[in-house]
Amino acid sequence: PPGYSVEILNIDSDKYGYKIKQNERVVILQPFVPGVPGKQYFRSSGAALRAGRLVFKRLADGRDFSVTPDDL
């Protein structure tokens, strides 16, 4: 959607997440892999970006933006 962006969170050297912003306001902050039990971080910035882009696309399409392990 217009005004939305996906950004990578660099939490630690091998720990990543993502956030989705509308203009400058954070609307989704996802430091952990969604749909996975416990608090597991994405192990690469590429994996976090792919998940963030998937959520972004679902938002743009007006769909449920929940993510399951099968989506990842």
Side-chain angles (χ1 to χ4, degrees):
Y4 281 82
S5 62
V6 179
E7 295 180 16
I8 299 302
L9 300 173
N10 188 352
I11 297 162
D12 203 353
S13 62
D14 64 344
K15 297 177 182 174
Y16 299 89
Y18 66 86
K19 63 183 168 182
I20 297 179
K21 295 170 68 175
Q22 181 182 26
N23 300 313
E24 291 303 311
R25 187 179 72 122
V26 176
V27 293
I28 296 176
L29 179 64
Q30 189 66 55
F32 306 109
V33 178
V36 175
K39 295 181 177 180
Q40 296 183 33
Y41 297 98
F42 290 96
R43 292 294 182 195
S44 71
S45 60
L49 184 59
R50 282 189 298 279
R53 285 181 175 162
L54 174 63
V55 171
F56 177 88
K57 176 156 178 32
R58 289 180 177 178
L59 279 172
D61 293 344
R63 298 172 36 204
D64 177 10
F65 54 87
S66 298
V67 177
T68 67
D70 290 338
D71 294 327
L72 303 173

